[in-house]
Amino acid sequence: MRIDILTLFPNMFVGPFGESITKRAIDRQLVTIAIHNLRDYAWDKHRIVDDYPYGGGPGMLLKAEPLFAAVEAITGGEETPVILLTPQGRLLCQEVVEELATHERMLLICGHYEGVDDRVRQHLVSDEISIGDYVLSGGELAAMVVVDAVVRRLPGALGSEASVAEDSHSDGLLKYPQYTRPQVYRGWEVPPVLLSGNHAQIAKWRREQSILRTLRRRPDLLEKAKLTDKEREMISGRGIEG
Ligand code: 4G3
């Protein structure tokens, strides 16, 4: 996969992409990440990238010309998903991450100020994504979240591909409780079933814990989760207390 990122703050990406899973994926050439400075595509004397909104109002907008010039130069006219990170975008969830992970290539635009000239959204951008219902000072942190979530889904990026199936949200449920040594810490014991060596019982317990945890914390997720009729029956009797 190739990911291009268009930003006014290229240095922000140095730390996060130089560590952990993303660094390893880059080193193993599972992904190429190219950071581009939007200001390099502003051709006027002062290399201006922002301007006041027509009609008045607070703040500044990113201008259309540098964004079009940059995207056209970076893609070379090739058909590529061009994704704007914006609070107005469709909400990122694991399902959207899986969809993005199927692309061979994508270009992420990090908006700034109060937004971008709407002609960019209408005629340059193919998808708008939000990482949550809050405002950030720029799209950079949102782009890093998207890249991290997508890159860890590329084959070979994780130590063990098996862990993906067990992730929170992989089956629409939250992850079950987990424990490691010691067996007793400050008098708090690990649930005995996990020490039983009975793998069928362990799987059953974990599944039940996932469902109950989701019911209590995120009942909204249960509508879309893949549950058996029997599991639906088990939760239908229970309130969020049960
Ligand atoms: C306004 C993304 C602000 C318009 C970006 C970009 C939050 C998110 C910005 C625009 C952002 C998010 C930059 N804030 N929730 N700020 O994903 O195009």
Side-chain angles (χ1 to χ4, degrees):
M1 176 182 273
R2 178 184 172 91
I3 303 174
D4 291 287
I5 300 175
L6 191 50
T7 173
L8 283 169
F9 300 98
N11 295 138
M12 281 183 73
F13 295 87
V14 175
F17 292 170
E19 304 279 353
S20 188
I21 305 281
T22 312
K23 174 181 162 43
R24 208 172 61 195
I26 294 167
D27 291 347
R28 292 181 180 176
Q29 299 180 38
L30 304 177
V31 64
T32 300
I33 303 179
I35 312 291
H36 309 269
N37 192 338
L38 178 61
R39 210 168 289 279
D40 292 343
Y41 299 89
W43 295 109
D44 64 291
K45 195 170 86 175
H46 301 288
R47 304 179 91 196
I48 289 171
V49 293
D50 59 330
D51 206 341
Y52 301 96
Y54 278 118
M60 305 283 276
L61 302 179
L62 286 182
K63 289 163 66 64
E65 297 105 308
L67 282 166
F68 273 83
V71 170
E72 283 162 8
I74 293 163
T75 64
E78 273 201 49
E79 188 83 34
T80 304
V82 176
I83 301 169
L84 177 67
L85 286 312
T86 163
Q88 285 101 47
R90 63 179 170 133
L91 269 182
L92 189 68
C93 62
Q94 194 60 37
E95 202 177 322
V96 171
V97 169
E98 304 299 330
E99 175 201 317
L100 296 177
T102 66
H103 292 135
E104 255 175 51
R105 187 174 175 183
M106 59 184 156
L107 195 166
L108 305 179
I109 300 179
C110 305
H112 247 269
Y113 309 106
E114 313 314 312
V116 304
D117 185 306
D118 207 62
R119 289 166 291 194
V120 169
R121 192 189 61 75
Q122 290 173 49
H123 304 295
L124 188 64
V125 164
S126 57
D127 199 1
E128 297 168 71
I129 286 179
S130 165
I131 64 161
D133 291 334
Y134 40 81
V135 176
L136 303 166
S137 12
E140 284 77 11
L141 288 166
M144 291 177 211
V145 166
V146 169
V147 168
D148 186 280
V150 167
V151 166
R152 69 187 292 290
R153 292 300 292 110
L154 301 178
L158 297 178
S160 146
E161 301 305 298
S163 64
V164 167
E166 301 276 299
D167 281 341
S168 279
H169 303 294
S170 70
D171 54 5
L173 296 172
L174 301 183
K175 191 152 183 151
Y176 46 79
Q178 302 182 94
Y179 299 85
T180 184
R181 289 187 290 186
Q183 206 182 121
V184 184
Y185 177 67
R186 296 191 175 187
W188 302 312
E189 292 182 15
V190 171
V193 62
L194 298 177
L195 313 171
S196 68
N198 184 334
H199 296 291
Q201 277 299 111
I202 291 169
K204 181 171 177 285
W205 181 86
R206 285 176 169 169
R207 177 78 183 169
E208 190 173 281
Q209 291 292 313
S210 275
I211 293 168
L212 291 177
R213 187 174 257 195
T214 310
L215 177 67
R216 287 172 189 141
R217 297 182 182 193
R218 293 292 307 280
D220 57 299
L221 295 178
L222 285 173
E223 290 164 37
K224 279 209 274 175
K226 289 181 220 122
L227 297 185
T228 65
D229 291 348
K230 203 166 153 227
E231 287 168 340
R232 294 250 172 234
E233 205 176 303
M234 165 181 79
I235 62 170
S236 68
R238 301 193 195 225
I240 53 169
E241 308 294 316

